[in-house]
Amino acid sequence: MPQQALQFLNEMDISVWQVRQTSYFPALENTTLSLPETCQLLFVAPAIPTERDAFLFGKVLASMKLSPEQALFLSSESLEYIGEHHLDWCWFSGVSTTELEGVKILTSPLLSEMHSNTQSRRDLWRQICSYDN
């Protein structure tokens, strides 16, 4: 990425980003993603959560004693490009899971489907609690 673009992102206080159309930036293809050290949970889903979904997401984070600043969204296609990380959790919502060494894995339906499905919220809670034992 050109230095000017990096400087522009830095000025906007954006430290993590994803290029949606990598065909425009051939130099970025097949590069590794660096996650900030503060990232404890990686939320992997097909799309960025809506405002309504973000509220439920925040409630789940709070139950795990995590803040929104400690979580990042990543599309499932980008998961293979993760380099070194300090993750504790990886939550797969509506996508197939991938093993990450030393990371606690959570699975659930899409957040949008969990609003009206009490059982799916219970199942997620049980997964979270299973790691406390």
Side-chain angles (χ1 to χ4, degrees), residues 3-95:
Q3 186 62 30
Q4 182 181 11
L6 291 171
Q7 182 179 357
F8 183 65
L9 290 170
N10 190 35
E11 288 175 7
M12 293 189 315
D13 202 25
I14 297 175
S15 59
V16 178
W17 65 89
Q18 177 183 6
V19 176
R20 291 182 186 210
Q21 295 185 355
T22 56
S23 59
Y24 293 130
F25 302 96
L28 289 180
E29 290 188 45
N30 299 326
T31 59
T32 58
L33 295 173
S34 298
L35 301 177
E37 288 186 30
T38 57
C39 181
Q40 298 297 304
L41 181 137
L42 192 61
F43 181 71
V44 181
I48 297 172
T50 64
E51 187 174 326
R52 181 174 182 233
D53 296 341
F55 178 74
L56 177 60
F57 182 71
K59 288 177 67 172
V60 173
L61 286 178
S63 74
M64 300 169 72
K65 296 178 178 58
L66 294 174
S67 68
E69 294 78 25
Q70 293 175 295
L72 287 176
F73 164 79
L74 190 67
S75 64
S76 53
E77 307 86 49
S78 302
L79 193 59
E80 66 185 275
Y81 300 113
I82 291 180
E84 285 189 41
H85 60 77
H86 302 280
L87 294 171
D88 285 333
W89 301 90
C90 191
W91 176 3
F92 294 91
S93 177
V95 296

Side-chain angles (χ1 to χ4, degrees), residues 70-121:
Q70 293 175 295
L72 287 176
F73 164 79
L74 190 67
S75 64
S76 53
E77 307 86 49
S78 302
L79 193 59
E80 66 185 275
Y81 300 113
I82 291 180
E84 285 189 41
H85 60 77
H86 302 280
L87 294 171
D88 285 333
W89 301 90
C90 191
W91 176 3
F92 294 91
S93 177
V95 296
S96 58
T97 61
T98 302
E99 288 296 317
L100 292 172
E101 190 176 330
V103 177
K104 301 168 194 162
I105 302 294
L106 303 173
T107 59
S108 74
L110 294 169
L111 279 176
S112 59
E113 296 172 9
M114 293 179 69
H115 292 285
S116 60
N117 187 336
T118 306
Q119 186 59 46
S120 65
R121 293 192 308 268

